[in-house]
Amino acid sequence: MTKSKLTVYLAAPRGFCAGVDRAIQIVERALERYGAPVYVRHEIVHNRHVVETLERKGAVFVEELDEIPGKFPVVFSAHGVPKSVPEDAERRELMYLDATCPLVSKVHREAEGHHAAGQHIILIGHAGHPEVIGTIGQLPDGAVTLVETAEDAERLSVGDPDNLAYITQTTLSIDDTIGIIAVLKRRFPNIHGPRKEDICYATTNRQQAVKAIAEKCDLMLVIGAPNSSNSRRLVEVAVSAGCPSAYLVQKAAEIDWRWFQDVRTVGITAGASAPEILVQEVIAALRDRFEIDTDEVSVTTETTHFKLPRALTA
C-alpha cells in the first residue's frame, strides 16, 4: 500500500540544555571516579530514559537521604535542593556533589540577596515542583510567597507592599510569566525584579522554536516527561501559537496513530531533559508509516557550557 506523505518540521534548538548535560555528566563522572553505587537524590533530570540509562551504569535514585544505606557518594539533582539537604548530608558524613543547574543557583542567590535587603519575595512558579521546593528552601519559613497564576497575583495580600521582590522558576512559559509580572508591577509599583530574566535561555529558545513552526503544523509532538515543567509548557505554547493539537509523549511507543487522521504536517520538539535519541526514534516511527519529508527550522544556535564541579575535574 502506498504511504501517505507527511511533512515533518523539526524545531531547533530542542532537547538537552547545558544544565541537563552537566548534571548527567556529574553522575557519570562520579560513577567513574568512585565506582557504583552512586546515589542520586530525586531524578537527576525529569526523563525516564536518562534515569534508566544511569541506573544501568550503577546510579541508584532515592527521594530522601535516609534511604542511602551507608556512606556512599550522593548527587543532588539539577532542579536544586533546600539548604536543609546538604546540611543533612554533612550530618550523615556523606560526600555529596551538587548538580543544580547554575541558572537555578542564580535564582537562589537572587532570593538570598532580596531577603538580606529585607524584602519579602514573591516566587512565580508551580507548587510542588522540585525547583520551587529548592528555591523556597533557601530561606527561612515565611520569607517566600508562591504565585502560580495571574489570578493569584490579583488576590495576593502582603504586609508591606513597598518592600517586595519577585523571582521566577526557570522553566515557565514566557508568555504566562509576562502576564503575572504585569499584574505584580501594576499592584505593587515598587516591586524589585531580577536584573536579568530568570527563565533560562534553553526554555526561552525551545519555546521560540515551537512558535516558529506552530502555524505550519496540523499536529505537534513534544517529547518529554509528564513531570517535566519545560516539556509541558512546550505543549501549551504550541497550541497558543496556532497548532490545532499538541501531545506530550515520552517515546515513540506512546504515539496514538489515530492523532494522525487528516494530518499532513507535524512538528517535533523535545524538552530540555529529553535526549536526541528519542527524537530520532519518533522520526523512525513516522518513516515506517508515512513517506516523510523533514525540514529543520532553527531560531538560534546554543553555545552555553557549564563547568563540572572541581571534585570531578581535579
Side-chain angles (χ1 to χ4, degrees):
M1 191 172 73
T2 304
K3 295 178 181 177
S4 58
K5 293 185 178 180
L6 186 69
T7 300
V8 177
Y9 292 103
L10 297 172
R14 63 179 178 274
F16 279 0
C17 63
V20 165
D21 188 55
R22 173 181 179 269
I24 295 168
Q25 283 192 59
I26 287 172
V27 178
E28 291 175 335
R29 293 283 189 93
L31 285 164
E32 291 170 5
R33 177 158 292 202
Y34 306 114
V38 166
Y39 284 79
V40 184
R41 185 188 178 277
H42 192 66
E43 291 186 343
I44 187 68
V45 297
H46 284 157
N47 186 272
R48 286 307 306 167
H49 177 88
V50 170
V51 168
E52 289 167 5
T53 299
L54 292 172
E55 284 177 334
R56 287 193 292 272
K57 295 179 179 181
V60 179
F61 291 84
V62 296
E63 285 304 308
E64 298 298 342
L65 299 185
D66 61 11
E67 298 174 51
I68 300 174
K71 291 182 170 52
F72 295 101
V74 60
V75 179
F76 303 150
S77 81
H79 312 96
V81 295
K83 282 189 173 178
S84 59
V85 173
E87 290 169 357
D88 187 24
E90 288 171 7
R91 279 196 301 271
R92 297 173 184 274
E93 299 180 345
L94 298 176
M95 195 286 291
Y96 64 86
L97 295 162
D98 189 354
T100 301
C101 173
L103 299 180
V104 174
S105 295
K106 178 182 80 73
V107 177
H108 291 178
R109 302 295 81 76
E110 288 172 1
E112 290 175 329
H114 290 310
H115 181 68
Q119 295 158 344
H120 185 75
I121 297 160
I122 310 302
L123 170 59
I124 302 170
H126 295 297
H129 190 278
E131 182 184 332
V132 166
I133 293 169
T135 299
I136 292 174
Q138 302 304 304
L139 299 176
D141 289 347
V144 180
T145 298
L146 179 65
V147 167
E148 297 191 76
T149 64
E151 291 74 22
D152 289 346
E154 290 284 9
R155 293 191 295 264
L156 184 65
S157 176
V158 296
D160 185 355
D162 292 320
N163 206 18
L164 297 174
Y166 73 85
I167 56 178
T168 77
Q169 183 180 334
T170 63
T171 54
L172 300 178
S173 161
I174 302 161
D175 296 333
D176 289 349
T177 306
I178 288 171
I180 297 169
I181 292 170
V183 173
L184 291 174
K185 288 183 174 180
R186 171 172 53 77
R187 292 198 60 213
F188 311 110
N190 294 324
I191 194 168
H192 294 265
R195 287 191 296 274
K196 188 179 179 184
E197 183 84 40
D198 281 342
I199 295 176
C200 84
Y201 79 93
T203 297
T204 301
N205 290 345
R206 279 148 192 73
Q207 290 180 18
Q208 294 297 341
V210 164
K211 289 178 181 179
I213 64 173
E215 289 187 346
K216 301 178 182 181
C217 300
D218 299 323
L219 169 71
M220 185 83 67
L221 295 176
V222 177
I223 301 163
N227 60 341
S228 165
S229 176
N230 77 84
S231 298
R232 288 164 58 191
R233 300 294 81 75
L234 290 174
V235 175
E236 297 168 358
V237 168
V239 174
S240 65
C243 184
S245 58
Y247 299 95
L248 179 65
V249 296
Q250 296 191 78
K251 54 189 176 181
E254 293 186 0
I255 296 172
D256 184 339
W257 297 106
R258 291 173 295 185
W259 299 337
F260 285 78
Q261 184 74 33
D262 299 323
V263 166
R264 297 292 174 265
T265 57
V266 60
I268 297 178
T269 188
S273 51
E276 180 65 16
I277 188 172
L278 299 180
V279 175
Q280 296 307 315
E281 287 178 358
V282 167
I283 294 170
L286 292 174
R287 189 171 285 116
D288 285 342
R289 291 163 177 80
F290 302 95
E291 181 184 331
I292 71 170
D293 179 34
T294 60
D295 181 11
E296 185 166 68
V297 179
S298 178
V299 297
T300 189
T301 300
E302 293 178 346
T303 58
T304 302
H305 174 76
F306 296 131
K307 294 179 180 178
L308 296 175
R310 289 179 184 174
L312 295 177
T313 58

